Amino acid sequence: MPGARLEQLAEIETAVWAELCAAVRDKGHPWRVGVLATVDGERADARNVVLRDIEAAARTLLIYTDARSAKARQAEHHPQGMLVLWSDPLGWQLRLRVHLMLQTSGLEVSSRWAQLKMSPAAHDYLSPLPPGSTLARPLPQRGSRGYFAVLSAEVWSVDWLELHADGHRRAIFDAKGPRWVTP
Ligand SMILES: Cc1cc2nc3c(=O)[nH]c(=O)nc-3n(C[C@H](O)[C@H](O)[C@H](O)COP(=O)(O)O)c2cc1C
């Protein structure tokens, strides 16, 4: 949508969710990969993640991960996270305040694993050692059991920033209602 400058808060919010829906379908979408920040005790932590799916009515984004990963542990101890996305074509940054929930079993997880397990991406969840384990050399083998987990990120607030030659704009969409703020 480059060039079309939206004026109304309601249309901006609608466009943000439409782009998030596009991002989970289109592997080339700039919002397909974002930075998820979490709290690790008293320290910050952050890493890239892929947006795999969206439940737009529930304002929830789905991320796949290894159940033994640091982010999974952090999400269970401190479910507040921040997902940061940037699209150069749109000129839009999103800072999504999210509530994280780790799912390691149940129909949601097993049906997604059934789809994924025959694909090369399954290797990401089959390592015999947890992510971050110290290794003498890269792992040659894979284990037989999956540690696949779905990390759901319910969006509690959207901080939208548009960079534009005619002036930057910023708006917040949260429980207090949509409003313009200074960039
Ligand atoms: C482009 C890119 C996409 C990534 N997507 C994911 C992902 O969807 N899920 C995931 O668990 N790790 C993903 N990773 C790896 C994480 O960034 C991170 O290195 C790893 O999960 C360990 O993070 P943690 O120790 O904080 O849990 C991705 C890395 C890159 C570079």
Side-chain angles (χ1 to χ4, degrees):
M1 255 184 336
R5 221 173 173 208
L6 304 175
E7 296 301 331
Q8 304 300 322
L9 285 167
E11 57 185 356
I12 291 167
E13 188 174 25
T14 301
V16 162
W17 284 95
E19 289 294 337
L20 286 169
C21 289
V24 303
R25 287 193 306 266
D26 172 6
K27 287 190 175 166
H29 194 290
W31 284 354
R32 170 87 171 167
V33 177
V35 175
L36 175 68
T38 48
V39 177
D40 181 13
E42 298 199 341
R43 302 185 312 173
D45 205 351
R47 78 290 290 156
N48 284 294
V49 290
V50 177
L51 302 187
R52 300 285 186 163
D53 209 347
I54 188 166
E55 291 164 0
R59 305 174 83 80
T60 297
L61 295 159
L62 301 183
I63 296 155
Y64 295 171
T65 196
D66 187 307
R68 302 162 299 172
S69 65
K71 75 182 87 48
R73 178 176 40 79
Q74 291 158 12
E76 287 194 311
H77 283 100
H78 194 112
Q80 262 66 49
M82 177 78 86
L83 186 59
V84 183
L85 308 169
W86 162 246
S87 165
D88 194 50
L90 291 167
W92 289 0
Q93 171 185 263
L94 289 190
R95 293 197 293 165
L96 305 175
R97 212 167 273 289
V98 292
H99 186 267
L100 298 165
M101 200 184 70
L102 189 74
Q103 292 169 266
T104 55
S105 60
L107 189 59
E108 171 88 23
V109 177
S110 56
S111 62
R112 289 177 187 277
W113 176 245
Q115 281 179 18
L116 195 73
K117 71 179 179 189
M118 303 315 286
S119 76
H123 290 251
D124 297 349
Y125 315 100
L126 289 167
S127 166
L129 294 172
S133 302
T134 304
L135 300 171
R137 63 191 70 82
L139 271 183
Q141 84 282 33
R142 52 186 267 187
S144 58
R145 190 182 144 211
Y147 293 93
F148 174 70
V150 177
L151 190 58
S152 65
E154 185 188 347
V155 177
W156 283 9
S157 94
V158 177
D159 182 336
W160 171 87
L161 174 70
E162 179 190 59
L163 300 188
H164 199 283
D166 296 340
H168 307 331
R169 298 183 304 171
R170 182 178 171 195
I172 310 277
F173 303 90
D174 64 11
K176 288 190 207 155
R179 58 202 181 274
W180 296 105
V181 295
T182 50

